[in-house]
Amino acid sequence: MTALWTSDEAALATGGRNTASWQASGVSIDSRKVQAGDLFIAIKGPNMDGHAYVGSAFSAGAAAAMVMESANQDGPQLTVPDTGEGMVALARHARSRASARVAAVTGSAGKTSTKDALALVLGRQGKTAATTGNLNNHWGLPLSLARLPRDARFGVFEMGMSAPGEIAPLSRLARPDVAVITNVESVHLEFFKSEEGIADAKAEIFTGMESGGTAVLNRDNRHFERLRRHADAAGISNILTFGAHESADFQLTDTEIKPAHCRVSARIQNRDVAYTIGAPGRHWALNSLAVLAAVTALEADIDLAMAALADVTPPKGRGSRTKVSIEGGSFLLIDESYNASPASMRVALDVLGAAPGRRIAVLGDMRELGPQSPALHAGLAASITANNIDLVFLAGENMAHLATALGRDGGAAHGKDSAAILPLVRDAVRAGDVVMVKGSFGSNMAPVVAALAALGREACAPAMAGER
Ligand SMILES: Nc1ncnc2c1ncn2[C@@H]1O[C@H](COP(=O)(O)OP(=O)(O)O)[C@@H](O)[C@H]1O
Ligand SMILES: [Mg+2]
């Protein structure tokens, strides 16, 4: 097996000096996640300095460490003037030496979901490297690229941002052959004056594209024309569109939302197709069409990709499901605790609405929405009513606006934070229910999910003891 990095190649890429020769099979910047054979890069961040963890990285089996000053540790070290820039240099080198076709995914919602689904379907067709989890910023993207094996056939990278100017350097580093923008919605409005500003910032993904590259755009999004103008201005002549819009190249014609999957009917470049995606919700149908457009642009096999979509499941915290056994049966727990925006709240409520059983929504604040926040929270009332949600538990000061909008007869309980509503939810849940928990990461809904899942273990414990 060829090494991901040799000491000579890393020195060439970074201009650094090696204390010994080494070979690494992976790259890590977190000593707690180091795997045997990794190159550990000691990053100096605002709060932490990786140089303090070089010893732990070696204990965990690191093959070498990239450092700014001698770390006074045994073990091969590559000394560079700045480890952040060193990692970027590795990323740039990894990208140029690889023959992989690279797709980059950005957008307001659905980046990780789309990136994972694309990586899954491409992985069935050839060696594929992808961003792990949500490593999508100025640390995560260079790290992910530095892990791109030289013989990968495909690379799939997520790019995120919270302010203008952040995506352009990521794109110039990754040099995508295909850029996917899932959508442009009201998130991060705290850092932007308008949605148009968000669209412009997402369009920075076009700045680093390889010549002959393809932009994959959401035809239904109200900023579509704006994004297309940006693509034109960047000299991108290949554009593939997806959405329900009649002129979309990858046109959604019908979605059947089942409790645990979706049947999608679509017209793909004038061919009628139908396939299953193993994750429910109209948003998944749209994500899957973006995936198929990217597959086409990457010149991979679309029929194989369509078949593989059946094996896609929602990532943890983004719609992942658990059946929790309790007294009298079980309830279905849908974990949407990783993130929330008005758009993703609505689609999650639609999925809940399609589920059989008593429907319970447990919702925490959507963060970073700026001055429109109260209206955007209150605006969810229509979705709750339309989806016949039986019980609503709301947590956080912003969700108070939704509680008010639902009115006294809306059946909503409100608490100041997730800890305050947890006991109420726990008391309410019964066998046969479907419980969907969602909120921005900072609204702490993950502990609610964990506590509800634990009800199953509590219920199971005596039964298991009895079986012995
Ligand atoms: N196309 C979409 N439109 C709206 N919401 C979506 C879409 N795809 C996924 N979501 C929802 O948005 C939330 C965040 O999903 P994720 O894939 O982590 O997005 P991101 O990486 O952009 O933050 C999840 O609740 C997920 O179910
Ligand atoms: Mg993400």
Side-chain angles (χ1 to χ4, degrees), residues 270-321:
N270 299 320
R271 174 161 79 113
D272 287 317
V273 297
Y275 57 88
T276 295
I277 171 153
R282 188 170 184 276
H283 56 310
W284 276 105
L286 290 168
N287 293 347
S288 72
L289 287 169
V291 165
L292 294 175
V295 163
T296 303
L298 291 165
E299 293 166 3
D301 186 305
I302 189 155
D303 291 293
L304 285 178
M306 245 184 292
L309 284 170
D311 298 332
V312 167
T313 49
K316 185 170 159 46
R318 289 122 171 142
S320 47
R321 298 158 161 259

Side-chain angles (χ1 to χ4, degrees), residues 366-424:
M366 302 180 286
R367 300 265 177 119
E368 297 182 356
L369 291 179
Q372 297 177 38
S373 181
L376 291 168
H377 280 82
L380 295 176
S383 266
I384 288 179
T385 314
N387 286 301
N388 297 314
I389 309 301
D390 297 289
L391 291 177
V392 183
F393 296 90
L394 303 171
E397 56 181 298
N398 291 307
M399 277 297 169
H401 298 285
L402 177 55
T404 309
L406 287 170
R408 229 177 317 150
D409 304 327
H414 178 259
K416 71 176 187 346
D417 54 24
S418 65
I421 54 159
L422 174 60
L424 307 179

Side-chain angles (χ1 to χ4, degrees), residues 108-113 134 158 183 283 287 318 336 338-339 344 347 438:
S108 298
K111 294 181 288 297
T112 300
S113 304
N134 199 44
E158 177 171 338
N183 48 42
H283 56 310
N287 293 347
R318 289 122 171 142
E336 286 269 2
Y338 186 77
N339 211 344
S344 71
V347 292
K438 187 167 181 71

Side-chain angles (χ1 to χ4, degrees), residues 209-215 228 230-240:
M209 277 181 70
E210 291 287 90
S211 63
T214 305
R228 181 157 66 182
H230 277 293
D232 284 345
I236 296 160
S237 50
N238 305 322
I239 295 181
L240 289 177

